[in-house]
Amino acid sequence: NAGVTQTPKFRILKIGQSMTLQCTQDMNHNYMYWYRQDPGMGLKLIYYSVGAGITDKGEVPNGYNVSRSTTEDFPLRLELAAPSQTSVYFCASILRQGRSDTQYFGPGTRLTVL
Amino acid sequence: GDSVTQMEGPVTLSEEAFLTINCTYTATGYPSLFWYVQYPGEGLQLLLKATKADDKGSNKGFEATYRKETTSFHLEKGSVQVSDSAVYFCALRASGGSYIPTFGRGTSLIVHP
C-alpha cells in the first residue's frame, strides 16, 4: 500500500489564483481529513469527510472547498488564493473500526501565496 | 469541548538524557489517547497510543501511560538520541460520536550530540 499520497509537494501561487491539492489513499479508509499547519503551530482542521459524497466543515473552512466522489480521493480546492493561505497542508485518513483507530497522514503540500 | 494541552517547547536535551513531554486533556467519557511524531519535512506518524485508563503505550523506547485520575498522557524516554529530534503531538479522540481527533499544539524536541 502506498498509504496517503499528496500532490504537489510544493507550489507557489500568485494572489487570486486557484488550485487543487490532490489527496489519495489506497487503504479503503472511510474518514478523510484536510489540515493546515502554520509555522510553529499545531494542526487546524479545514474539512473532513465520513465517506463518499459526504463532507463537512472543520475549524477553518473559509476560502476552501472539497469534494469526495470516491472513497480514495479527497481533493482540496483553493479559490482566489490569499497570503493568509500560505501554509503546509496535510491530508489524513482513518478506518473507523473500534477504539484504537490510527490516523494516517500524507507527506504534505507546502503552499506559498505571493 | 475537548482539548489537549502540551508543554511549550522547544525542549533542548543532550544525547542520552531523560525526556518527559507533558500532556493533559479535557474530554468527557473515555477518550483514546495518541502521541504522533513529525520529523522535519514530513507528515505526522503514530508513535504510540492507549485506549483505556492505566494502559501504557510504548514504541521505539518511548512510553506513555493513560492516567484517568490526572487526565494526563505524558510522553517519556529514558535516553534520547539525536535522531529523536522532531515535533511531538499529543492527541485524543473522544469516545462515541465523531471521529474528529483533537490535537495539541506540538512540542519541538532538539537533541544535541
Side-chain angles (χ1 to χ4, degrees):
Chain A
N1 287 348
V4 180
T5 57
Q6 293 183 238
T7 57
K9 291 187 178 180
F10 304 93
R11 184 72 184 269
I12 298 175
L13 285 182
K14 295 181 179 179
I15 294 173
Q17 287 185 320
S18 300
M19 76 165 292
T20 298
L21 282 65
Q22 301 293 342
C23 174
T24 299
Q25 53 89 10
D26 62 356
M27 299 173 284
N28 203 31
H29 286 179
N30 44 5
Y31 280 60
M32 295 187 74
Y33 310 78
W34 274 107
Y35 295 92
R36 60 177 288 171
Q37 184 181 35
D38 298 324
M41 303 293 287
L43 300 175
K44 293 186 178 179
L45 182 65
I46 305 171
Y47 271 95
Y48 68 99
S49 168
V50 303
I54 306 170
T55 63
D56 209 346
K57 296 178 181 179
E59 183 184 357
V60 290
N62 291 344
Y64 307 94
N65 277 300
V66 293
S67 59
R68 183 98 182 268
S69 57
T70 66
T71 299
E72 295 79 18
D73 299 309
F74 190 41
L76 177 70
R77 178 80 176 165
L78 277 71
E79 305 282 1
L80 300 175
S84 61
Q85 292 178 306
T86 294
S87 189
V88 181
Y89 292 83
F90 290 101
C91 180
S93 69
I94 285 178
L95 176 64
R96 180 169 182 168
Q97 189 174 48
R99 286 179 55 80
S100 62
D101 38 281
T102 299
Q103 210 167 17
Y104 292 84
F105 285 81
T109 294
R110 186 175 297 274
L111 175 67
T112 302
V113 182
L114 300 174
Chain B
D2 299 337
S3 67
V4 175
T5 303
Q6 290 181 237
M7 60 188 293
E8 290 203 21
V11 173
T12 304
L13 295 172
S14 297
E15 205 165 26
E16 300 184 0
F18 185 85
L19 168 71
T20 299
I21 299 178
N22 291 337
C23 171
T24 57
Y25 67 90
T26 302
T28 56
Y30 297 88
S32 297
L33 301 174
F34 305 84
W35 276 102
Y36 286 85
V37 59
Q38 183 182 30
Y39 298 105
E42 298 183 8
L44 281 69
Q45 55 186 278
L46 180 70
L47 180 59
L48 53 84
K49 61 189 177 189
T51 59
K52 61 183 187 295
D54 299 325
D55 267 3
K56 178 185 283 187
S58 62
N59 185 27
K60 300 181 180 179
F62 291 89
E63 293 183 340
T65 301
Y66 189 143
R67 301 290 187 197
K68 181 72 174 173
E69 64 276 12
T70 55
T71 61
S72 65
F73 194 53
H74 304 321
L75 182 67
E76 296 181 337
K77 187 175 185 182
S79 176
V80 294
Q81 305 299 313
V82 172
S83 58
D84 293 328
S85 298
V87 180
Y88 293 81
F89 291 89
C90 186
L92 71 83
R93 187 183 67 72
S95 56
S98 75
Y99 266 54
I100 308 300
T102 300
F103 286 87
R105 293 184 62 170
T107 302
S108 175
L109 170 65
I110 301 169
V111 181
H112 294 293

